[in-house]
Amino acid sequence: MLNSLAGPTIVGTLFETASPDDLKAQYCGVHMWREAIQQVLISEAELHCRIQALGRVIATDYQGRELVFVAVLKGALMFSADLARAVDLPLTIDYIALSSYGNRHVSSGQVHILKDLSESITNKHVLIVEDIVDTGISLRYLWDHLMSHHPADLNVCALLDKRARRRVELPIKYAGFDVPDAFVVGYGLDYQQRYRNLPFIGILHPEVLTPEP
Ligand code: IMP
C-alpha cells in the first residue's frame, strides 16, 4: 500500500524479514518506492507554514535592498521556488551546483562547483538558500566562493539543520527545522537522485542505504 502524504509509514516487519538485496530490489524499484520511507518527519503542511513564516521575516529584513537568492542545486530546488514566492519583494534567483555526496549518503568532504553563478553578485544583498546543513563543509566552501565576489552582504537560509554532525560552524540566519542525525529525503533532497519529488521530508529506512566502506 502506498503511503498517505501526511502520516508515518510502518514498514518494520517487511524490513526485518527480507535480505538487504531483496529490500533494495523491492523498495527502490518503481512500484514501491514510497515504502522506503520509514517515517514522515515534516509534513507538507508543516513545510508550507514554516516557509511562509520565513518568507515574511526575510521580506521585512530585506525591505529596500536588492536581494539575490543563490540557491544550491539540486536539493534546494523546491525550497527556493516556494520561498521566493513567500517573499513579497522584488528579487532575483541564481542557481549554483555543488558536489560533495555523489551517490553516497556520507559527505566525501571534498566540494567542487558543478555549475557556477550566471549573474554578478558584486554589491548585491545575497542570501544562500540551502536544503540542509549537515557537516557544514559545503556551506563553508560556498560562503568563501561567494565572498570572493564581494557581495554587499551574505546570509544563509537553510530549510534543515542537522546539528549533530556539524564539523564547520557558520551562522545560519534563517533556519527552517532542526532534524536528527538520520538520512532524510523528499522536498528536493535525494538519495541516489531519487525521492526529491516527495512532497514531505521523510527518514529513509536505513536498510535502503548502501553501507559506506
Ligand atoms: P554538508 O557539506 O555535509 O553540510 O552537506 C551538505 C549537502 O549534503 C546538502 O546540501 C545535501 O545536498 C547533502 N545532504 C546532507 N545531509 C543529507 C540528508 O540527510 N539527505 C540528503 N542529502 C543530504
Side-chain angles (χ1 to χ4, degrees), residues 72-76 98-101 104-111 129-141 160 162 165-168 179-186 188-192 196 201-202 204:
V72 185
L73 290 174
K74 301 174 189 168
L98 303 179
S99 173
S100 70
Y101 272 53
R104 302 167 54 196
H105 62 93
V106 176
S107 172
S108 65
Q110 307 234 309
V111 188
V129 182
E130 259 284 24
D131 54 353
I132 184 167
V133 182
D134 183 357
T135 63
I137 292 171
S138 308
L139 185 58
R140 172 88 256 172
Y141 179 91
L160 307 176
K162 203 192 279 185
R165 291 171 35 87
R166 192 75 90 254
R167 285 165 55 191
V168 182
V179 290
D181 184 7
F183 199 78
V184 294
V185 293
L189 287 99
D190 75 307
Y191 175 57
Q192 297 185 338
R196 294 191 198 276
I201 302 282
L204 200 58

Side-chain angles (χ1 to χ4, degrees), residues 6-42:
T9 309
I10 310 299
V11 288
T13 315
L14 294 167
F15 275 88
E16 276 152 26
T17 51
S19 76
D21 283 348
D22 286 347
L23 288 170
K24 277 200 186 69
Q26 286 184 64
Y27 296 110
C28 296
V30 290
H31 299 301
M32 299 182 71
W33 63 291
R34 280 182 182 241
E35 266 62 11
I37 305 301
Q38 183 181 46
Q39 183 195 343
V40 175
L41 200 59
I42 307 166

Side-chain angles (χ1 to χ4, degrees), residues 100-176:
S100 70
Y101 272 53
N103 277 337
R104 302 167 54 196
H105 62 93
V106 176
S107 172
S108 65
Q110 307 234 309
V111 188
H112 56 272
I113 294 178
L114 299 173
K115 183 221 161 285
D116 210 340
L117 297 170
S118 310
E119 307 288 337
S120 169
I121 57 164
T122 304
N123 296 326
K124 307 261 177 77
H125 300 273
V126 177
L127 186 61
I128 296 174
V129 182
E130 259 284 24
D131 54 353
I132 184 167
V133 182
D134 183 357
T135 63
I137 292 171
S138 308
L139 185 58
R140 172 88 256 172
Y141 179 91
L142 179 59
W143 180 278
D144 293 344
H145 177 65
L146 297 182
M147 284 305 274
S148 74
H149 289 270
H150 308 292
D153 57 48
L154 184 61
N155 283 302
V156 178
C157 178
L159 178 65
L160 307 176
D161 187 353
K162 203 192 279 185
R163 290 166 192 271
R165 291 171 35 87
R166 192 75 90 254
R167 285 165 55 191
V168 182
E169 284 297 343
L170 264 178
I172 302 175
K173 184 158 184 185
Y174 309 100

Side-chain angles (χ1 to χ4, degrees), residues 42-58 67 69-87 91-95 127-133 139 142 155-161 172-178 185-190 195-201:
I42 307 166
S43 71
E44 194 175 359
E46 288 169 321
L47 284 167
H48 177 78
C49 195
R50 185 76 187 118
I51 292 166
Q52 296 305 308
L54 285 172
R56 284 193 293 272
V57 175
I58 291 167
L67 174 59
F69 274 15
V70 174
V72 185
L73 290 174
K74 301 174 189 168
L77 186 62
M78 318 289 182
F79 178 42
S80 59
D82 286 342
L83 184 66
R85 282 175 287 184
V87 175
L91 57 80
T92 61
I93 310 177
D94 205 347
Y95 286 95
L127 186 61
I128 296 174
V129 182
E130 259 284 24
D131 54 353
I132 184 167
V133 182
L139 185 58
L142 179 59
N155 283 302
V156 178
C157 178
L159 178 65
L160 307 176
D161 187 353
I172 302 175
K173 184 158 184 185
Y174 309 100
F177 301 88
D178 284 339
V185 293
Y187 195 65
L189 287 99
D190 75 307
Y195 309 106
R196 294 191 198 276
N197 56 323
L198 288 171
F200 53 79
I201 302 282

